[in-house]
Amino acid sequence: MNNKQKGDLGEFIAQKYLLDKGAKIIESNYRIKTGEIDIISDLGGEIVFVEVKARSNNRYGYPSEAVNYKKIKKIINTANYYILKNNLYNKKIRFDVIEVYLNEDKINHIVNAF
C-alpha cells in the first residue's frame, strides 16, 4: 500500500469514527490554493477542522508529530478562508488531529490540537 492509499484509508476510518460520535461530515479533502483540510465536520454545533495522519507503525514517530508549524499555518489559513466564504463567524470552531494506526486498529483523537 502506497502513502496515498494509506492516507485515503486513514481518512475513511477517521470519517467513520466521527460519524459514530454523532458528527456530520460537511466536507472532506477541502482544497484551495493555499492548502487542504482533510475533514470539516459539525460536532455538537461546533465546526471541527480535522487533520488526519495515518501510519502503519510509529517507527518514525507519532503521526501527530508530522503536523508541524508550517502545516498548522496552512490549515489555519485554509480554515479562515472557509469561515469567510461560508459566513461562519458566529460558530464555535476547533482544530483536531486524528491519528490512525492502520496495523493496530487504533485511533487517537487529539481534541483542540492547536
Side-chain angles (χ1 to χ4, degrees):
M1 186 180 310
N2 66 35
N3 286 341
K4 169 83 169 100
Q5 292 168 323
K6 284 181 190 176
D8 290 346
L9 178 58
E11 288 176 21
F12 175 80
I13 292 168
Q15 282 187 26
K16 183 177 178 335
Y17 166 82
L18 289 168
L19 289 169
D20 289 346
K21 288 185 63 123
K24 176 183 176 229
I25 305 299
I26 300 169
E27 300 265 355
S28 74
N29 297 316
Y30 178 76
R31 186 171 297 168
I32 60 171
K33 189 175 175 180
T34 58
E36 178 193 6
I37 298 173
D38 294 329
I39 302 170
I40 302 172
S41 67
D42 182 327
L43 184 56
E46 190 171 27
I47 303 299
V48 183
F49 297 94
V50 181
E51 176 67 13
V52 179
K53 290 296 178 189
R55 299 287 186 271
S56 298
N57 57 57
N58 61 1
R59 186 177 318 146
Y60 300 107
Y62 294 103
S64 61
E65 292 174 334
V67 185
N68 58 25
Y69 173 76
K70 188 175 179 181
K71 182 74 173 168
I72 290 170
K73 189 175 173 184
K74 282 184 173 189
I75 293 168
I76 290 172
N77 287 338
T78 305
N80 282 335
Y81 177 82
Y82 184 83
I83 290 165
L84 179 69
K85 180 181 169 218
N86 293 285
N87 202 17
L88 299 173
Y89 305 110
N90 296 326
K91 288 282 192 173
K92 223 176 148 186
I93 66 159
R94 73 174 197 235
F95 297 90
D96 293 359
V97 174
I98 295 181
E99 298 177 316
V100 179
Y101 295 89
L102 298 171
N103 290 345
E104 301 175 32
D105 286 333
K106 178 181 162 190
I107 292 174
N108 182 30
H109 184 181
I110 304 167
V111 176
N112 288 317
F114 53 90

